[in-house]
Amino acid sequence: MTDSQRTPTPIDTIADAWVDTLAEREPTLATYIGRTEFNDRFGDLSPEGANELADQARATKAALENATPVDAIDEVTRMDLGRELDLHLELHAAQTHLRDVNVIASPAQDLRQAFDLMPTATVEDWSTISTRLKALPGAIDGYVATLREGIARGVVPARRQVVEVATQIARYTSDTGFFAEFVGEAAPEEGQLPASLARDLDQNAGAARVAYDALASFLTSELAPVAGETDGVGRELYALHSRRFLGATIDLDETYEWGVEELARMVAEQESIANEILPGATVEEAVAFLEQDESRKLHGTAALQEWMQRTSDRAVEELGRTHFDIADPIRRLECMIAPTQEGGIYYTGPTDDFSRPGRMWWSVPEGVESFDTWRELTTVYHEGVPGHHLQIAQAVYNRGQLNSWRRLLAGTSGHAEGWALYAERLMEQLGYLDDPADRLGMLDGQRMRAARVVLDIGVHLGKPRLDGEGVWDHEYALAFMLRNVNMPEEFVKFEVNRYLGWPGQAPSYKVGQRIWEQVRDEARERDGADFSMKAFHTKALGIGGVGLDTLRAALASA
């Protein structure tokens, strides 16, 4: 990290302008990165809105191609922003927006999640929320128009995703769901809401609920009957999504075979540690033994949140003294229980000025009341420090060198999630997982990520099942995951539906880790006796978020 200020270049100006374009056209994205000027609205989710954004991407690409880099930072920006713009246009040409329905990262979730990150401290904040709630029905109308265009063109999502999203919406709009509770608990930090604003909030939240119910009705009555029977998207579209999430082109068949081998290696490592925990025990027996250990359990989400925060604070304090240079703004990481019950665990980065810190969110499924610390310890490191928070917040902090695109939007799942898995192994190497139970929990996660490589490519490419009985499908995928993870069945069902609806994303974790390790090994070979792991990490994270092909090229030329 550095406080030195770099003079912005023409390429920086182009990149910053693209961020401005995205912020204005996709206000939910603006909220995510802390741009508050568009917090009172949503973007145009209609087919016309998608076409207009594609036109702006073409114009930005042309400007970028005509610009001349002035230094190595410009070279990386030009390479990576060009890659991103090309991908945006390829995805648009493939009409992916016309079938954009899945259980975790489609407009159906994005519109609701925007409210999670909005300020709520003042009366003005709640007035902005009320205005955005009022705008939600229009956004949903645009989304429905896009999906109807998909129906007309025969470009539709899988039925399973459509049905599951309709089920999610029912939870959003119930009398005890998100919208009712969100406005029902509205209160600024000082004073009370004016009666007129309270009425507006209630009315606009009601309209939002009605709009979401209308979306659910459309999904079940119009889209589901014509939606796809199969979950897999096929090789061509899958390859495109794989590039989207990795920022790298990989051999899908070789990666599938590697995933099978990596899964076997994880199983063998788990079996060895299970024997350390309980001599002669299988992995299942060791897990059952640990699950009976009350000293390793947390009861209730309040206890989970407190433990997450305490564990994170310790890692930040200790690693900041010994292995990383962690600036003061980055040392604040908030561990949160999400206001939903979908089963995901995720990180949201800080705003550009750190007024909103980085946050780790845990969406606990309904009915899940207890948590095993041995299983979840590595998750805190994955989402926090040295994982996502260190990586993403460090790029935000490096504002003196990186333009807003590089700090706030560049990067891929493979870069971010690959680093987070890389960080899990690093914590093992630093002694934070010396307890065999904690190492077993880490391996449980690593095994799950290896299994996802096999499952995701297997289902979407229609590969033969590992047992030789037909090809991969939902039922086999669910049974396969239940055999390979030690998680409540509610989590596993959600996870499998997530993989089927978000092709290429789940493998990006383990494949990203593989590429990070390859890049490190290449640096070690180049530097020889001068290689320093700490220096490698500092240099690599200093680049900020990029595609993994860009990361490899940037480090090779550094």
Side-chain angles (χ1 to χ4, degrees), residues 118-130:
M118 293 183 68
T120 59
T122 68
V123 169
E124 183 180 359
D125 290 336
W126 282 103
S127 178
T128 301
I129 288 169
S130 181

Side-chain angles (χ1 to χ4, degrees), residues 67-363:
T68 302
V70 303
D71 58 16
I73 294 176
D74 263 3
E75 292 281 2
V76 172
T77 299
R78 191 171 188 264
M79 184 189 313
D80 210 58
L81 180 54
R83 173 196 60 79
E84 186 70 16
L85 292 166
D86 284 341
L87 185 62
H88 179 98
L89 293 171
E90 288 183 69
L91 287 165
H92 182 75
Q95 305 180 100
T96 56
H97 59 295
L98 300 183
R99 55 184 291 172
D100 191 6
V101 179
N102 67 61
V103 300
I104 192 169
S106 63
Q109 296 81 27
D110 293 344
L111 295 173
R112 191 218 60 75
Q113 288 174 355
F115 296 99
D116 293 349
L117 299 178
M118 293 183 68
T120 59
T122 68
V123 169
E124 183 180 359
D125 290 336
W126 282 103
S127 178
T128 301
I129 288 169
S130 181
T131 304
R132 179 171 260 182
L133 283 167
K134 187 176 182 179
L136 194 147
I140 287 180
D141 286 345
Y143 181 40
V144 169
T146 294
L147 296 176
R148 282 200 174 112
E149 179 73 13
I151 293 173
R153 297 190 187 187
V155 181
V156 292
R159 180 173 294 114
R160 189 181 316 280
Q161 300 299 313
V162 177
V163 172
E164 290 295 328
V165 170
T167 301
Q168 287 179 344
I169 291 173
R171 292 196 289 270
Y172 295 170
T173 63
S174 74
D175 289 341
T176 57
F178 170 78
F179 290 105
E181 293 194 351
F182 182 53
V183 299
E185 297 171 357
E189 292 180 359
E190 295 183 5
Q192 294 182 336
L193 290 178
S196 59
L197 177 55
R199 286 194 299 272
D200 286 346
L201 275 168
D202 185 66
Q203 179 178 338
N204 292 334
R209 292 170 68 181
V210 169
Y212 255 115
D213 281 335
L215 173 59
S217 177
F218 161 78
L219 293 176
T220 55
S221 64
E222 293 187 44
L223 187 53
V226 297
E229 294 289 345
T230 61
D231 294 293
V233 299
R235 182 177 290 267
E236 184 177 356
L237 191 55
Y238 187 84
L240 185 58
H241 283 297
S242 176
R243 281 176 43 219
R244 169 192 176 194
F245 289 116
L246 289 174
T249 300
I250 60 172
D251 183 326
L252 296 174
D253 298 304
E254 185 276 336
T255 302
Y256 179 82
E257 297 301 329
W258 167 80
V260 173
E261 294 171 1
E262 184 72 359
L263 177 59
R265 191 171 71 84
M266 294 297 99
V267 171
E269 196 171 348
Q270 273 194 310
E271 290 172 347
S272 176
I273 292 178
N275 186 61
E276 291 183 44
I277 294 170
L278 192 64
T282 65
V283 174
E284 292 75 16
E285 289 168 344
V287 168
F289 174 77
L290 292 173
E291 287 179 339
Q292 299 304 312
D293 187 347
E294 278 296 319
S295 69
R296 300 179 186 274
K297 279 196 179 297
L298 302 167
H299 297 283
T301 54
L304 173 65
Q305 188 276 334
E306 191 277 332
W307 172 82
M308 288 161 55
Q309 191 69 60
R310 184 175 68 250
T311 302
S312 174
D313 289 347
R314 177 194 170 211
V316 170
E317 196 276 328
E318 293 181 359
L319 293 177
R321 282 191 285 106
T322 56
H323 293 89
F324 293 94
D325 178 18
I326 306 178
D328 285 343
I330 299 175
R331 288 173 177 266
R332 184 182 175 201
L333 170 65
E334 292 184 349
C335 297
M336 313 282 288
I337 302 299
T340 56
Q341 298 177 314
E342 306 302 335
I345 304 169
Y346 55 96
Y347 171 80
T348 56
T351 53
D352 204 19
D353 61 358
F354 285 91
S355 59
R356 187 190 73 215
R359 289 170 174 165
M360 172 185 170
W361 299 83
W362 202 307
S363 179

